[in-house]
Each structure stands twice: as C-alpha cells, then as structure tokens.
Amino acid sequence: MHETEAVARARRDIEICNACRYCEGFCAVFPAIELRREFSAGDISYLANLCHNCRGCFYACQYAPPHEWGVNVPAALAEVRAESYAEYAWPRPLASAFARNGTLLSLAAALGIALVLALSILTNGAGGFFATRGSFYDIIPLWAMQATGIATFGFSLLALAMGARNFWRDAGPRGRIGPGSVAIALRDVLTLKNLGGGGNGCNDNSEAFSMRRRWLHHAMFYGFLLCFAATTTGFVYHTFLNWAAPYPLLSAPVVLGTGGGLLMVAGTIGLLAMKFVDDPVPNVRRLLGGDIALLMLLALIAATGLVLLAVRATGAMGPAMAVHLGFILAFFLVLPYSKMVHGIYRSAAVLRRATERTMKPLGGE
C-alpha cells in the first residue's frame, strides 16, 4: 500500500486510539491496534479491511467531531479501504475503474443486457424470440451461455485471486497460518461476527445499537450462495442426468433459486434503504454511488430471476431470460472492480486477525 493522505490520516487517528484505548473491546480492530506501536501502510490497509464499519467507536469517542481533533475512525478507514481496492486490483490499468464505480456498473449492466438481447434475437429471429418455448436453450444455445459465462466469470475469478494475492503480500500475517486460525476465521466470516460490533450490534445512524445490518447482510450473503447452489445443481442435472431446464417448481434448482432470490431481494433492498438514513458524518459520501449501484445490480439479478420463474411458460420467457442473463453478465464483468472485492479482502483480514489471536492470545478473546 502506498503512503497517501488517507493512510496518513488513518494512522493519526489510530495512534490517538492506541493512546486512549477506551474502545479496546468494541470490535476486532482495536485489539489488533494494541499489538502495534508503529503502523506501516500495509498495517493500515489491514486494519481498514478488518473494519466492518459498525461505527460504535465513533459514537463513543470523546475526540470525535466537533472536538478539535476530529477523530473519525470509520470514515478514515473507509477512505483507505477504497484506496486499497484500487491499489491491489489486477490488472493494474483497470484499477482506475474504482474511481467511477457507479458509472461502470451502470454501463456494464446496459452492455450486458444489450449483448444478450442481440444474441437472443440473432439466434431466434424477432418472432421466435417472443414465442412460447419448452426450454431455455431454445432461446439462447447452451454453448453460447457456457462460453460467455466461462470467459467472463473465469477472468473475474483470476482478477480476484490476483488482487487477494497482492493484498496478502502487503497486509497478510507474518506468522504461520494454522488450522486453528483458519477455523476461527471461517467461523467469523460465515457468522459475520464483526458486524455485531462488540456484541450489541452496529450503530447505524445514532448511538442506539442494532443487529439490522448484520441480518440484512446475512440475507444477501446466504441468498447469493443459495442462488449459486441452484445454478450448480442445474448444471449437474443437465450435464450428468440429461435433464434440461426449466425444472419443476419443487425441484432442487427452483427451490434453492427461489429461496435465494427472495433473500437477496430482502437483503439488498434493506441495505439500500439504510444507505439513505445513515449518519453522514462517519461515512464517506463520495463512495455512496458505487455502493448503491452494486446493491441495485444484485437486487435486479435476484428480481429478474424471480420474474423469469413466473413467466417461463409464456411468450415473455425470452425477453425475461435475456434481461436476467444480461444483468448476470454485467455482474461478472465488473465483479473484480466493484465493492464486491470487499468480501475477499475483509475475509483475508479476518484470517490475519485470527492468526494473530492464535499466535498471541489476548485476554477475553
């Protein structure tokens, strides 16, 4: 991580925190701070990505605005987090995409829908595109779906892996990673433990505690995993059992996809609503556009999937499928250059924290 104004500001706030230590039990960040007397740029990046933005420290801090010191750890670490996404992005020429995240997502969505619509009409003709079909592959050939999906998603996975490698080299643990630390990190990631702050929840827009952000993230996270499981099950059905989509309503792919879609819609809509009522002081407003664009894209993927399920036996299946696949294609295209990368870096930071805990246990942990 390069030394920047955001890194310097975060270091200054963290050094004040390290002297005060009033918030030492608030979340995982403060015990990690207390292990250090000096903070490299890589350490600041690690702490920024370990922060889950619960904001408890902001409302408890006696030096927060309007105090003349203006300590604002959530906003300072959010700035560094955003810079770290661009810093570790691969390939490097595409790192600038993070600066116009919302615009990029919007353009990718439009491009994705246009490409899928064009492909659908070319392979079916305008009349056939609106005809009632028995299979999804009558509208878009399976080979076209597979080739496009493998190319875009494969590149995204490679870019994410390279970004994670860059983060780990800069901000990863210096000690050995053991089974214990992996188990602790996996538990913390799957339960979203750090979205509970010090145990009472997050301070969404006031000093009042709430588990709302945690439950909404759970809905979005596990909804996404259920949708992925539905797609994987459908692949197994088609490839190994020779069962072509669409599948019966009570089949595993439909049940998993419906449940996942409903959870994703609930989670993304809830998180979107919270964005508009959050206290602006511990936030960085210029980053709001990218957050909203990504949440809207995820919500549209889930909603159009549910619409496709509802109209799959009608002449509207073709357009509904093209729009749904267009949003998925857009998601694959922008995945490594959107806020979705926070899941990768945050999980890596949680693993580093777990490694520190197993190497040198802290009281109460």
Side-chain angles (χ1 to χ4, degrees), residues 288-344:
L288 187 60
D291 293 357
I292 290 176
L294 178 61
L295 286 171
M296 288 185 66
L297 179 58
L298 290 171
L300 287 167
I301 288 173
T304 55
L306 294 172
V307 169
L308 175 59
L309 175 65
V311 303
R312 61 183 184 162
T314 71
M317 183 172 78
M321 182 178 174
V323 172
H324 177 59
L325 292 180
F327 282 126
I328 292 176
L329 176 58
F331 176 72
F332 286 172
L333 288 171
V334 302
L335 180 58
Y337 312 105
S338 70
K339 197 187 172 182
M340 281 296 289
V341 300
H342 84 285
I344 303 294

Side-chain angles (χ1 to χ4, degrees), residues 172-355:
R174 304 298 177 256
R176 185 171 174 230
I177 301 173
S181 59
V182 172
I184 291 171
L186 188 61
R187 179 202 66 192
D188 290 353
V189 169
L190 293 179
T191 61
L192 300 177
K193 175 188 174 184
N194 291 320
L195 275 173
N200 297 314
C202 295
N203 298 91
D204 301 323
N205 54 17
S206 69
E207 295 180 7
F209 293 97
S210 169
M211 286 290 185
R212 181 170 44 186
R213 283 183 70 231
R214 186 178 186 179
W215 301 135
L216 289 173
H217 273 87
H218 267 301
M220 183 174 66
F221 177 55
Y222 284 104
F224 185 88
L225 291 183
L226 284 174
C227 290
F228 184 78
T231 303
T232 303
T233 306
F235 171 78
V236 172
Y237 278 12
H238 179 87
T239 304
F240 300 103
L241 301 177
N242 201 29
W243 296 348
Y247 301 109
L249 288 176
L250 294 181
S251 63
V254 174
V255 171
L256 290 170
T258 302
L262 291 172
L263 283 174
M264 279 186 67
V265 168
T268 52
I269 296 294
L271 290 171
L272 269 171
M274 290 184 65
K275 293 291 182 184
F276 294 102
V277 297
D278 281 353
D279 184 349
V281 180
N283 285 303
V284 182
R285 302 305 288 180
R286 69 177 182 82
L287 302 177
L288 187 60
D291 293 357
I292 290 176
L294 178 61
L295 286 171
M296 288 185 66
L297 179 58
L298 290 171
L300 287 167
I301 288 173
T304 55
L306 294 172
V307 169
L308 175 59
L309 175 65
V311 303
R312 61 183 184 162
T314 71
M317 183 172 78
M321 182 178 174
V323 172
H324 177 59
L325 292 180
F327 282 126
I328 292 176
L329 176 58
F331 176 72
F332 286 172
L333 288 171
V334 302
L335 180 58
Y337 312 105
S338 70
K339 197 187 172 182
M340 281 296 289
V341 300
H342 84 285
I344 303 294
Y345 299 154
R346 194 163 274 173
S347 298
V350 168
L351 177 58
R352 176 176 177 177
R353 174 67 191 136
T355 303

Side-chain angles (χ1 to χ4, degrees), residues 87-137:
E87 177 81 14
Y88 304 126
W90 182 92
R92 289 292 302 164
L94 294 178
S96 61
F98 283 101
R100 34 186 194 276
N101 208 278
T103 303
L104 179 68
L105 282 164
S106 301
L107 290 174
L111 176 63
I113 293 173
L115 285 176
V116 176
L117 281 171
L119 177 63
S120 303
I121 293 173
L122 284 173
T123 55
N124 289 273
F129 181 58
F130 294 97
T132 301
R133 300 298 184 91
S135 171
F136 292 143
Y137 311 130

